[in-house]
Amino acid sequence: MNYKETIQLPRTDFPMRANLPEKETKILQNWNQTQMYKQIQESRKDNKPYIFHDGPPYANGHIHMGTAFNRILKDITVKYRTMVGYRVPFIPGWDCHGMPIEREVIKKLKGKILTNEILRKACTQFAQKFVGIQKEEFMRLGVFGEWDNPYITMDPEYEARVINVFKVLVEKGYVYRDKRPVHWCTSCKTALAEAELEYKDILSSSIYVKFKTQDPNLSILIWTTTPWTLPANVAIALNPKLQYDFVKIGNEKLVIASDLKDIVLEKLNIKDYEIEKSVVGKELEGMIYKHPLFDKECKVILSTFVSKDSGTGGVHIAPGHGYEDYQVGLSYKLPVISPVDESGCFTDEVPEFEGKYVFDANKDIIEALKEKETLVCDEEFSHSYPHCWRCKTPLIFRATPQWFLRIDHKNLRERCVNEIEKINWVPKWSKERILHNILDRPDWCLSRQRRWGIPIPVLYCKNCDTPILDTKVIERARDIIKKEGSMGWFEHPAKDFIETACPKCNCQEFIKEKDIFDVWFDSGASWTVIKAQDSFPADIYCEGVDHHRGWFQHSFLLSMTTEEKPCFKSVLTHGLILDKEMKKMSKSLGNVISPTEIIKKYGADILRLYFSAIDYTCDVPFDSDGLESSVIAYRRLRNTFKFLLGNLHDFETIVPKDKLLELDKLMLHRLTLLIEKVTSAYENVEFHKVYHSIYNYCTTDLSKFYLDILKDRLYTYGKNSLERRSAQTILQEILLSLVKLLAPIIPFTTEEVWQNITNNLKLSTNNSKSIHIELLPKSNPDWIDNKLAEDYELIQEIRDNVLLALEAARNKKIIGNTLEAKVTLWADNKDTRDFLQQKLSSLPSIFIVSQTNIEKVDNMSQFKKINIFIDKAEGKRCERCWIWSKDIGTSTEHLTLCSKCINVLKEDNYGC
RNA sequence: GGGCCUGUAGCUCAGGUGGUUAGAGCGCACGGCUGAUAACCGUGAGGCGGAUGGUUCGAGUCCAUCCAGGCCCA
C-alpha cells in the first residue's frame, strides 16, 4: 500500500509563483469591471466619513518614485480607514497650471506666434495628456479612488472656485497692490515665488566702496557683491547697537564697524592707521553722505539686520533691489528705485548705463567708481546666490507692481499660530516646522507675469491706470470663467466685466489685468473641492516635508482667511525618496529609477511592500538591492498563505475553544497580540511596524515554530480527528486575520488569497466580494491566556536549547533528520522537572523528535536550566508518519506502521 | 547663515522613565530535509552604537560641540 496516499497533504491551486506583473493586471481589470471602488463606497454609505484630501501632483510628466511613494502611503491609509469601517471617499487631483508646463509648450511651439488661445490650448492638451498617463500609472499601483471624477485645477468649475476664494479675500481686505522688489528671472521675464528659487554658488565681484560724507575727508565704507545695484542706492544702513570706529589713514578717515575693522583693513592691506574715535551706530543716524555715482545726497539709517559677521558694518541700501532693503526702507519712507527693465537691462532712468544687462554693467560701474576714486577694493567672491529653478539663470531683485496677500491682516498670522497648536501633526516635529514657516514668511505675492494660469480678475482704467479691485468685477469674471474657463477672461472685452465708470476719472474704458495667480493659489484652494461636497475640513492631508512651505501652508492660509478655520484636522508628513547614496534623484545625476519599470518587473505589491517596511518620517533611500529583499519577504508571506490555504482545503468544523489543544490555544493568544500590535501601528500611521510585526510573526511564530510542528498533526492524524481539526481551527483564524491585516499593504495578493478562500474553502465567513470590503480583525480578549504564554516561553527556551543539542548531534552524524532523535532531559530544579513531566506528552511534537524522556544520564550537555542528551531514537521508523517507535508492526496487514497510524487508517476507512 | 529632521550589524527595523555579555528578520557561510519543494528547518559569523567631550557609580539612551546627509528658508 502506498501510505503517502493516506496522509492529508496540503492541497491548493494557489500558485507558489506569483507572476505579479500579469496577475495584478487581471485583478485590476476585475476591479474596474465590477466597479470595486463604488462597491466599497456603497458598503460604507451610512458610515462615518473619513476625509482624505489629495494633494494634486503636477501634470507634466510620468510619475516618479516620489509620487508613487506618496500615493502608496495615502492608499494604505485610505484602505486601512476603510477596513476599520469608515466611508473614505478619495478624490484624486491634478495641478495643471504654471510655468513648467508653459515653458515646455513654448519650447515645443517654437517659431509659432503664440496667441493666448494657441498657447493655452496647447498647455491644456499637454496637461490633459499627463493627467491621463499619471491616472493610469497611479491606478496600476493599486490605488483606489474616484478616478472617473478627479479634480483638475484647469477645469472651469475649479477655476471659478479659485476666483471665488480671491473674491472673499478681496471682500475681507487681504489683497493689496504694491511696487516691491521680487526675485526676478531676466530670462523667463517673470517674478518667482520663494518656492521657485534654487541656491547655487556663484562668483561675484566683491567690492569695497567709500561713500563720502559732507566732511570731504570722512567716508563710510560699505561692501557689496552686487555693484549694479549702486545706481539705486538711497541709504546706508548701520546697526544701531554696533560700535563704529573712525579709522584715520593719512588724511582720510573711514567709518568701519569695530568688530570688522581688523579683517577689512587687512584685506585692504592698510597697516598704518589710528582710531580717531569710536561711536555706537545709533549716533550716526541721519548723517548725510554723497551718492557714490551720482550727484545727490542721502542719509544714514539704522537697522538691526546689519551684521557684524561679514562686510564692513555699513550696508548699501537699495529698496528696489533687495527685500530687506525694502523693509527697512518702508520705515524710513525711502523711495523704491528700480531702473531695470524686465530683461535685466538698465532703463533710461540711468542714462550712463542704459541698455546694459545688469550683470555685464558691474564692470562699467566698477570703472565709474574708480574714476570717482571711491573704490577701495575689487576682487572675486564665491557665495550662494539664488537662481531660477527652471532655467538656472542667476536672479535679480527688481521692483514691479504686484498683488499681495497681507499676512498680518486681521491677525492672520497669530490666528494661524493658534490653530497650528490644535492640529494633529504627524510626526510631531512637523508642527515646529510649519510654525517657523508661518512666523517667518513675508506677504504672499499672488501675481505672476505669465500666461498659463488662472487670470487675476482686476481691471485698470484706460485713462488714469487706477486698478479696479471690485467684487462685482470678480463675480462676473467668476461666472464667465465657470462657463467658459479662464479663456473667458482673455476673450471677453473688458466691458463685459464692469458696468460702472472709473471712480477716479469717470472714464468708461478699461484694460484687463494680464497677470495670473501663483500656482500655489490654485492648489492652495483645493479644499474648495471637499467643501463643495460638504466634507470640510479634511481629516487628513499627507505630503512630503517640502510642503510645509508649499501646499500645506498655502492651503492653510487660504482656508484661514476665507473660512477662518484650518482645512485639515491632521497632517501627515513623509520624507523624500533619495537614491542609494542618499542623494536626490535627478535626471542630471542619472540616478532616477522609475516606479513603472519596477512594477513591470516585480509588480506593485513588491513596491508597496518595500515602502511599507520603511520608516517614512525620514528620507528614504531607494535601492534596487533593497527591493530584492522585499521580493524575498513577499515570497515568505505568499508561501505562508499557500500553506494555510492548502491545509484548510477540507476544513469545515470549528473546534470550540475549550476543546482546543494547548499549543493551539497558545497560538490564539499570540495571534491576538499580533492583531493588537498591528492595529495600533496602523492607527499611529507607523506602517513599518505593521510590516515588521506581521513579517516576524510569519517567520518566527508560524514558519519556524507552529507550522513546522503542526505538519505531523495535519498530515498524519485522522482526517476528522480533534487534533487535526483543532489545528485547522487556528489556521483558519490565522489565515483570515493575516489576509485582512495585510490588505492595505499588498492589495493585489490579498485579493488573490481572498478569492481563493471564498471560491475553494468552506469557511464560515460572510464572503464579501473583495477583501477590501472586509473589516480588520478585532482582538478577542477571551483568547488571551497569560499563564499559558508564560509556560510556553519556558518551553520555547528549552526548545531552543534542544535545537542546539540536535545540531551538535547532527554534526556528529548521530542523526540527520530530527525525527531520528530521542531527547533526554533533566533539570536539577524539581519545579522545572515537574513542569517538564507535566508537558511531556507534547514535547516530542514540539521538538519535532520521535521520543522525549526525563531522566538523568551521563554525558548530558549543560544548558542554563536543563541538561540535554541526544541519542538515536529507539525502535524503527513508521513508514507512514516517519516517527520512530518500538511498536511497529503490531498489525499483520501493516508491518511497517506504528499503532497510531494503524488506528488512523481504520478511522479514515483505508481498507482496514 | 537660520529653522526642522536623520545617522544602531551589508539591508530594513526594535531597543518605556539611563543599569547585567546591544536585540529581530532578511542577506551571507555551513549543514539538514526532500510530505510548504524555484519551498521548508537548524547552526554560525557579522556592531569601536556618526565623532569628540561632559553629567553619572553607570549612557545607544541625558547635555554640549563637531562631522556627514536631507528638506525648507536667507
Side-chain angles (χ1 to χ4, degrees):
Chain A
M1 188 168 185
N2 182 3
Y3 294 116
K4 188 164 177 175
E5 279 162 18
T6 71
I7 62 171
Q8 314 301 324
L9 287 177
R11 205 179 301 163
T12 177
D13 58 3
F14 187 80
M16 172 177 279
R17 300 194 65 191
N19 192 10
L20 282 178
E22 198 181 302
K23 189 159 292 152
E24 287 178 346
T25 318
K26 277 185 193 152
I27 293 172
L28 220 42
Q29 272 170 8
N30 184 269
W31 282 342
N32 287 340
Q33 275 161 13
T34 55
Q35 298 198 295
M36 189 47 67
Y37 174 78
K38 264 190 191 151
Q39 285 195 53
I40 293 167
Q41 297 306 307
E42 191 60 27
S43 74
R44 304 287 193 272
K45 66 172 190 286
D46 301 322
N47 297 17
K48 200 177 164 205
Y50 184 84
I51 305 303
F52 196 131
H53 181 49
D54 185 34
Y58 197 58
N60 71 331
H62 287 265
I63 64 167
H64 53 258
M65 205 51 89
T67 18
F69 175 53
N70 172 263
R71 274 289 120 122
I72 288 171
L73 283 185
K74 284 174 176 168
D75 189 56
I76 292 175
T77 307
V78 167
K79 288 194 164 83
Y80 164 69
R81 289 285 161 188
T82 304
M83 289 185 82
V84 289
Y86 289 97
R87 177 173 65 81
V88 192
F90 186 76
I91 306 166
W94 273 279
D95 194 8
C96 301
H97 292 127
M99 202 155 62
I101 289 179
E102 185 180 327
R103 282 179 58 91
E104 203 60 41
V105 166
I106 289 170
K107 240 195 270 169
K108 258 190 181 170
L109 300 180
K110 212 173 171 186
K112 283 193 184 169
I113 297 160
L114 293 179
T115 61
N116 264 336
E117 201 188 341
I118 293 173
L119 179 82
R120 294 182 68 92
K121 217 175 227 170
C123 287
T124 307
Q125 279 170 1
F126 184 94
Q128 247 160 11
K129 178 184 152 193
F130 283 106
V131 167
I133 287 172
Q134 291 190 0
K135 189 190 286 186
E136 289 299 318
E137 290 170 339
F138 287 147
M139 287 170 83
R140 182 62 189 81
L141 292 170
V143 175
F144 287 158
E146 282 187 35
W147 297 109
D148 300 334
N149 183 32
Y151 76 88
I152 292 183
T153 62
M154 63 181 179
D155 276 352
E157 204 182 335
Y158 188 95
E159 292 178 326
R161 288 204 194 107
V162 174
I163 301 281
N164 204 55
V165 167
F166 182 64
K167 191 200 102 177
V168 179
L169 292 180
V170 170
E171 265 169 2
K172 295 192 174 184
Y174 284 100
V175 180
Y176 70 96
R177 183 174 170 81
D178 198 3
K179 199 178 178 193
R180 178 158 172 172
V182 287
H183 283 284
W184 187 271
C185 175
T186 55
S187 163
C188 303
K189 295 176 187 158
T190 181
L192 292 181
E194 297 95 72
E196 294 168 324
L197 312 184
E198 216 176 80
Y199 283 81
K200 281 195 294 189
D201 279 347
I202 189 178
L203 215 51
S204 291
S205 315
S206 155
I207 58 170
Y208 289 83
V209 185
K210 290 186 288 193
F211 281 37
K212 291 181 179 165
T213 66
Q214 285 174 313
D215 170 355
N217 290 326
L218 178 67
S219 301
I220 301 168
L221 194 65
I222 69 98
W223 171 69
T224 181
T225 55
T226 51
W228 65 268
T229 62
L230 286 171
N233 172 278
V234 293
I236 293 174
L238 303 180
N239 190 319
K241 288 179 183 162
L242 278 188
Q243 201 67 31
Y244 287 87
D245 291 344
F246 284 54
V247 182
K248 194 163 182 225
I249 307 146
N251 287 333
E252 223 183 348
K253 284 174 286 180
L254 292 178
V255 179
I256 308 173
S258 313
D259 295 331
L260 290 156
K261 169 196 67 200
D262 293 344
I263 303 165
V264 172
L265 291 176
E266 195 187 327
K267 193 170 275 286
L268 304 187
N269 207 15
I270 294 168
K271 286 176 186 119
D272 294 334
Y273 64 88
E274 53 186 280
I275 309 293
E276 192 186 69
K277 64 172 176 173
S278 184
V279 299
V280 73
K282 205 175 169 200
E283 287 178 40
L284 300 173
E285 187 178 18
M287 184 187 237
I288 290 171
Y289 71 88
K290 288 176 179 161
H291 194 282
L293 291 166
F294 311 131
D295 187 20
K296 65 174 184 177
E297 292 185 335
C298 309
K299 280 182 186 168
V300 168
I301 60 170
L302 301 175
S303 171
T304 48
F305 88 78
V306 176
S307 130
K308 64 173 171 30
D309 299 330
S310 64
T312 61
V315 173
H316 130 69
I317 296 293
H321 295 306
Y323 185 67
E324 280 171 326
D325 301 32
Y326 171 78
Q327 279 194 317
V328 201
L330 280 182
S331 49
Y332 282 91
K333 295 199 166 68
L334 298 176
V336 179
I337 301 172
S338 192
V340 173
D341 71 11
E342 57 174 20
S343 22
C345 298
F346 279 112
T347 64
D348 57 5
E349 290 165 85
V350 196
E352 293 90 335
F353 308 109
E354 190 184 344
K356 284 238 159 78
Y357 184 48
V358 289
F359 289 110
D360 298 337
N362 277 338
K363 60 177 190 304
D364 301 285
I365 287 163
I366 290 169
E367 273 315 303
L369 292 172
K370 274 186 193 157
E371 269 173 41
K372 294 191 186 283
E373 294 178 349
T374 55
L375 187 78
V376 285
C377 178
D378 166 20
E379 58 183 23
E380 289 203 309
F381 176 72
S382 171
H383 63 137
S384 169
Y385 192 85
H387 291 69
C388 176
W389 71 331
R390 297 307 301 177
C391 72
K392 318 294 179 198
T393 307
L395 302 173
I396 61 169
F397 260 111
R398 175 172 177 258
T400 53
Q402 303 285 345
W403 290 102
F404 287 91
L405 186 150
R406 202 184 301 278
I407 296 290
D408 287 307
H409 185 58
K410 292 190 178 221
N411 285 330
L412 175 60
R413 204 187 300 265
E414 200 185 317
R415 282 188 294 122
C416 285
V417 169
N418 289 338
E419 288 300 326
I420 283 171
E421 283 302 322
K422 299 177 198 161
I423 292 160
N424 178 32
W425 301 93
V426 183
K428 288 195 188 80
W429 51 255
S430 122
K431 182 172 90 181
E432 288 305 309
R433 190 155 173 157
I434 190 102
L435 205 59
H436 279 97
N437 278 322
I438 295 279
L439 284 172
D440 300 341
R441 73 154 299 144
D443 283 354
W444 179 3
C445 177
L446 301 175
S447 44
R448 289 296 116 94
Q449 292 66 52
R450 284 267 128 188
R451 295 162 75 188
W452 176 230
I454 300 177
I456 298 178
V458 178
L459 300 171
Y460 297 92
C461 171
K462 201 169 185 176
N463 181 45
C464 70
D465 205 31
T466 301
I468 314 290
L469 183 65
D470 184 309
T471 51
K472 288 228 171 60
V473 172
I474 300 170
E475 275 168 18
R476 285 186 172 216
R478 178 196 64 197
D479 296 343
I480 286 175
I481 285 171
K482 191 172 181 178
K483 279 187 210 131
E484 305 170 26
S486 285
M487 253 336 269
W489 173 258
F490 300 102
E491 281 172 350
H492 282 261
K495 68 174 171 48
D496 287 3
F497 299 99
I498 190 163
E499 281 180 333
T500 51
C502 170
K504 249 192 195 160
C505 70
N506 218 27
C507 168
Q508 305 265 353
E509 286 189 81
F510 298 91
I511 294 168
K512 289 176 290 179
E513 171 66 273
K514 287 195 182 80
D515 287 4
I516 58 169
F517 283 108
D518 174 14
V519 281
W520 287 122
F521 196 84
D522 290 32
S523 62
S526 68
W527 47 262
T528 54
V529 171
I530 51 171
K531 182 150 192 287
Q533 301 190 332
D534 224 14
S535 321
F536 183 88
D539 287 288
I540 192 168
Y541 273 43
C542 164
E543 305 298 329
V545 267
D546 46 336
H547 283 288
H548 285 99
R549 185 147 285 253
W551 190 58
F552 292 155
Q553 192 200 169
H554 292 103
S555 298
F556 185 50
L557 287 173
L558 288 184
S559 76
M560 284 300 292
T561 47
T562 55
E563 299 298 314
E564 301 191 356
K565 60 177 176 182
C567 49
F568 36 62
K569 293 180 195 159
S570 64
V571 176
L572 182 61
T573 310
H574 59 78
L576 292 120
I577 302 290
L578 308 171
D579 79 355
K580 208 173 165 177
E581 256 82 59
M582 283 305 231
K583 293 265 145 56
K584 201 175 174 172
M585 280 193 192
S586 73
K587 276 181 197 164
S588 54
L589 284 172
N591 56 356
V592 176
I593 303 172
S594 144
T596 315
E597 290 304 310
I598 298 289
I599 288 164
K600 262 189 210 158
K601 194 172 167 197
Y602 299 99
D605 273 359
I606 299 294
L607 191 64
R608 295 178 68 114
L609 202 60
Y610 179 87
F611 285 140
S612 73
I614 283 166
D615 179 0
Y616 61 80
T617 58
C618 29
D619 292 328
V620 177
F622 189 91
D623 118 60
S624 314
D625 298 342
L627 207 67
E628 210 53 53
S629 46
S630 291
V631 172
I632 287 157
Y634 175 83
R635 279 197 211 126
R636 166 77 81 176
L637 296 176
R638 189 173 179 88
N639 268 310
T640 304
F641 281 128
K642 183 171 186 255
F643 185 86
L644 294 171
L645 286 167
N647 283 294
L648 287 166
H649 71 272
D650 67 333
F651 179 59
E652 38 199 3
T653 331
I654 288 172
V655 176
K657 200 204 156 205
D658 57 324
K659 292 205 174 120
L660 289 172
L661 269 62
E662 198 176 77
L663 183 68
D664 300 336
K665 281 187 195 162
L666 172 79
M667 292 315 288
L668 222 39
H669 169 91
R670 292 203 180 158
L671 179 65
T672 309
L673 296 187
L674 176 76
I675 291 171
E676 281 171 5
K677 203 168 173 188
V678 169
T679 314
S680 97
Y682 268 127
E683 198 59 36
N684 299 328
V685 256
E686 297 171 316
F687 303 139
H688 66 288
K689 290 192 179 167
V690 171
Y691 169 90
H692 286 283
S693 319
I694 295 180
Y695 188 57
N696 275 350
Y697 174 82
C698 284
T699 54
T700 312
D701 280 344
L702 294 185
S703 200
K704 290 186 173 172
F705 182 65
Y706 188 55
L707 300 185
D708 208 23
I709 291 168
L710 228 45
K711 285 172 197 167
D712 175 58
R713 224 201 297 165
L714 289 166
Y715 301 167
T716 72
Y717 279 60
K719 220 173 162 172
N720 295 308
S721 61
L722 172 70
E723 289 86 350
R724 189 156 177 274
R725 294 307 190 199
S726 171
Q728 286 179 316
T729 301
I730 305 309
L731 293 187
Q732 174 208 247
E733 227 30 89
I734 291 173
L735 172 63
L736 292 178
S737 299
L738 278 184
V739 72
K740 289 168 188 170
L741 291 174
L742 279 169
I745 292 175
I746 43 172
F748 292 104
T749 303
T750 49
E751 185 74 313
E752 186 191 355
V753 172
W754 187 251
Q755 298 310 330
N756 201 294
I757 290 172
T758 56
N759 291 336
N760 302 327
L761 306 188
K762 305 158 190 163
L763 303 175
S764 53
T765 64
N766 292 329
N767 288 4
S768 304
K769 279 184 188 156
S770 165
I771 183 67
H772 304 293
I773 297 177
E774 283 290 309
L775 290 169
L776 244 40
K778 288 221 169 76
S779 76
N780 182 348
D782 291 344
W783 291 352
I784 291 290
D785 188 337
N786 288 319
K787 173 70 180 67
L788 190 64
E790 209 179 291
D791 283 356
Y792 270 80
E793 251 171 61
L794 179 56
I795 289 177
Q796 264 189 286
E797 199 188 324
I798 294 167
R799 182 179 193 259
D800 288 342
N801 291 331
V802 168
L803 290 177
L804 281 171
L806 287 169
E807 177 69 13
R810 188 181 292 125
N811 289 338
K812 285 182 196 152
K813 310 283 181 200
I814 296 170
I815 56 160
N817 184 325
T818 55
L819 282 177
E820 291 165 27
K822 177 178 85 171
V823 175
T824 306
L825 300 175
W826 183 256
D828 296 328
N829 176 308
K830 181 159 189 308
D831 287 349
T832 313
R833 227 154 50 221
D834 290 347
F835 176 79
L836 288 172
Q837 194 63 50
Q838 189 200 326
K839 304 286 179 190
L840 186 60
S841 64
S842 55
L843 290 182
S845 70
I846 288 173
F847 300 154
I848 320 183
V849 296
S850 287
Q851 293 135 14
T852 304
N853 58 2
I854 298 166
E855 76 184 278
K856 199 167 186 177
V857 296
D858 293 337
N859 299 325
M860 294 192 100
S861 308
Q862 297 280 326
F863 291 96
K864 266 183 260 170
K865 288 194 172 84
I866 51 162
N867 305 309
I868 302 171
F869 181 72
I870 304 292
D871 203 357
K872 188 89 176 169
E874 293 168 18
K876 288 182 180 166
R877 189 178 92 141
C878 167
E879 193 190 342
R880 184 170 174 277
C881 71
W882 296 351
I883 290 173
W884 290 59
S885 70
K886 284 191 271 188
D887 65 346
I888 300 283
T890 52
S891 160
T892 47
E893 279 175 81
H894 306 290
L895 286 168
T896 55
L897 295 197
C898 67
S899 46
K900 185 200 81 186
C901 284
I902 293 165
N903 286 335
V904 171
L905 290 188
K906 271 185 208 153
E907 218 176 283
D908 287 353
N909 299 318
Y910 282 105
C912 305

